[in-house]
């Protein structure tokens, strides 16, 4: 990049910082700050290990330095300006979810437009928020556009700030369904009655919340989709699943038509 171009961009960035009200994150003085200045040559340099005390007033710093990018850490430290993690002395951290459109399985790189990628990422964001708000009852959430491909969600509820790495991983695994066993969502009841020579088991999906409710809602939406189809199309749709032949497809469709109350109960 030519110096004339850099000078022009520095001026435009300064104008932006002058007219923009910057809202720092909570506990900004406990976070590490970093920034990328406008440097000569093709390479970029990250200035790290800065505390807000070293930067001074944030708005004045941005106008004065006009950095290309500015970052703050999710972690909070006793000495955020120290040069090593040990010296920084970790105290707590936001729980952060990073959604990148080009990492989503629903996105086809090279085919989806940028707008389509972001739309799919926004859909994934909505589903993530359902987990965080409905399943975990988190309330202190901040959603920010990452500046390119997706969104960041910062969870700052007090009861998550001090969680260790393995506990944070458990939350992420739950959201992603890693380790989810379907049988763990099933309640089994022994049923005996008139005319039965031997008791039998009734298996019911738990629908009081969590993954059970989410699976049940998806299942009932699929049932409604089937019932809206012509019979031949519905049977063909069911037989797309492994292990479902014509006989099982017919029985399943009849159950959907005649036993909706039972299906809605789980």
């Amino acid at each position: 990049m030519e110096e004339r171009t850099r000078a022009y961009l520095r001026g435009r960035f300064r104008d932006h910082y002058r007219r923009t009200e910057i809202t720092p994150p909570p506990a900004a003085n406990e976070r590490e700050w970093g920034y990328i200045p406008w440097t000569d040559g093709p390479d970029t340099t990250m200035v790290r290990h800065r505390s807000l005390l070293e930067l001074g007033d944030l708005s004045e710093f941005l106008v004065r330095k006009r950095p290309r990018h500015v970052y703050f850490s999710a972690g909070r430290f006793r000495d955020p300006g120290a040069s090593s993690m040990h010296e920084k002395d970790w105290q707590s951290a936001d729980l952060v979810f990073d959604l990148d459109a080009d990492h989503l399985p629903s996105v086809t790189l090279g085919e989806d437009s940028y707008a389509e990628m972001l739309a799919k990422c926004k859909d994934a964001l909505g589903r993530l928020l359902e987990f965080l708000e409905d399943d975990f009852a988190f309330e202190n959430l901040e959603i920010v556009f990452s500046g390119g491909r997706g969104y960041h969600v910062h969870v700052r509820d007090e009861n998550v700030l001090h969680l260790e790495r393995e506990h944070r991983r458990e939350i992420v695994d739950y959201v992603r369904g890693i380790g989810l066993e379907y049988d763990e969502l099933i309640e089994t009841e022994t049923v005996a009655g008139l005319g039965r020579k031997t008791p039998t088991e009734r298996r019911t999906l738990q629908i009081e919340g969590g993954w059970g409710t989410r699976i049940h809602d998806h299942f009932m939406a699929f049932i409604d989709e089937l019932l809206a189809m012509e019979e031949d199309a519905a049977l063909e749709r069911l037989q797309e699943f492994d292990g479902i032949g014509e006989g099982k497809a017919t029985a399943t469709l009849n159950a959907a038509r005649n036993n909706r109350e039972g299906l809605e109960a789980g």
Side-chain angles (χ1 to χ4, degrees):
M1 184 185 301
E2 295 182 357
E3 176 55 34
R4 183 171 56 181
T5 303
R6 277 195 298 273
Y8 171 79
L9 291 174
R10 282 196 294 265
R12 300 292 72 75
F13 271 61
R14 179 187 56 200
D15 294 342
H16 168 74
Y17 289 131
R18 278 177 171 170
R19 64 173 179 262
T20 302
E21 182 177 351
I22 304 297
T23 303
N29 61 318
E30 299 176 15
R31 300 176 187 269
E32 177 190 347
W33 290 77
Y35 64 95
I36 297 179
W38 295 96
T39 53
D40 296 339
D43 298 328
T44 58
T45 300
M46 166 73 84
V47 179
R48 286 195 55 191
H49 308 301
R50 297 294 187 268
S51 68
L52 201 58
L53 180 63
E54 294 172 288
L55 299 183
D57 180 85
L58 185 58
S59 295
E60 291 180 2
F61 165 80
L62 294 174
V63 172
R64 183 175 72 255
K65 288 292 188 179
R66 298 161 284 180
R68 297 170 62 173
H69 305 280
V70 183
Y71 306 90
F72 61 82
S73 66
R76 307 178 189 189
F77 307 95
R78 191 177 302 278
D79 184 4
S83 59
S84 71
M85 290 300 296
H86 176 72
E87 293 173 317
K88 289 180 190 295
D89 191 8
W90 184 91
Q91 301 296 300
S92 64
D94 303 347
L95 175 63
V96 182
F97 292 85
D98 184 358
L99 293 176
D100 285 333
D102 55 352
H103 293 167
L104 297 176
S106 60
V107 170
T108 304
L109 296 177
E111 294 184 11
D112 289 338
S113 67
Y114 181 67
E116 289 170 335
M117 291 172 61
L118 284 186
K120 291 179 179 180
C121 196
K122 188 174 182 179
D123 178 67
L125 172 64
R127 287 183 276 115
L128 171 61
L129 293 177
E130 288 179 2
F131 276 103
L132 300 180
E133 295 175 335
D134 296 345
D135 293 32
F136 291 97
F138 291 145
E139 297 179 348
N140 191 348
L141 307 175
E142 182 176 16
I143 305 161
V144 294
F145 180 56
S146 67
R149 300 170 299 180
Y151 302 91
H152 295 165
V153 180
H154 292 252
V155 182
R156 294 181 176 133
D157 287 51
E158 186 64 31
N159 57 353
V160 304
L161 294 180
H162 301 279
L163 291 179
E164 299 292 339
R165 182 186 299 271
E166 61 269 22
H167 301 137
R168 295 167 184 264
R169 173 55 58 187
E170 288 183 10
I171 295 176
V172 174
D173 287 349
Y174 175 87
V175 170
R176 297 181 63 192
I178 295 176
L180 179 67
E181 295 291 341
Y182 180 73
D183 285 344
E184 294 178 359
L185 305 176
I186 298 297
E187 290 182 339
T188 303
E189 177 186 5
T190 300
V191 178
L194 185 65
R196 294 184 183 273
K197 294 183 179 180
T198 58
T200 187
E201 288 187 344
R202 175 187 296 159
R203 290 164 56 83
T204 306
L205 179 66
Q206 301 176 46
I207 58 173
E208 292 79 15
W211 270 102
T213 295
R214 193 164 283 104
I215 292 171
H216 184 257
D217 290 345
H218 186 76
F219 174 73
M220 293 308 300
F222 177 68
I223 292 298
D224 290 337
E225 176 189 331
L226 284 179
L227 296 180
M229 295 179 177
E230 296 291 336
E231 181 169 342
D232 288 346
L235 292 174
E236 183 177 347
R237 177 72 176 90
L238 285 167
Q239 290 177 73
E240 293 176 2
F241 295 95
D242 292 340
I244 302 294
E246 184 177 354
K248 287 186 178 180
T250 301
T252 300
L253 186 58
N254 288 335
R257 288 170 171 167
N258 304 320
N259 190 30
R260 185 177 184 88
E261 182 177 345
L263 296 176
E264 288 181 341

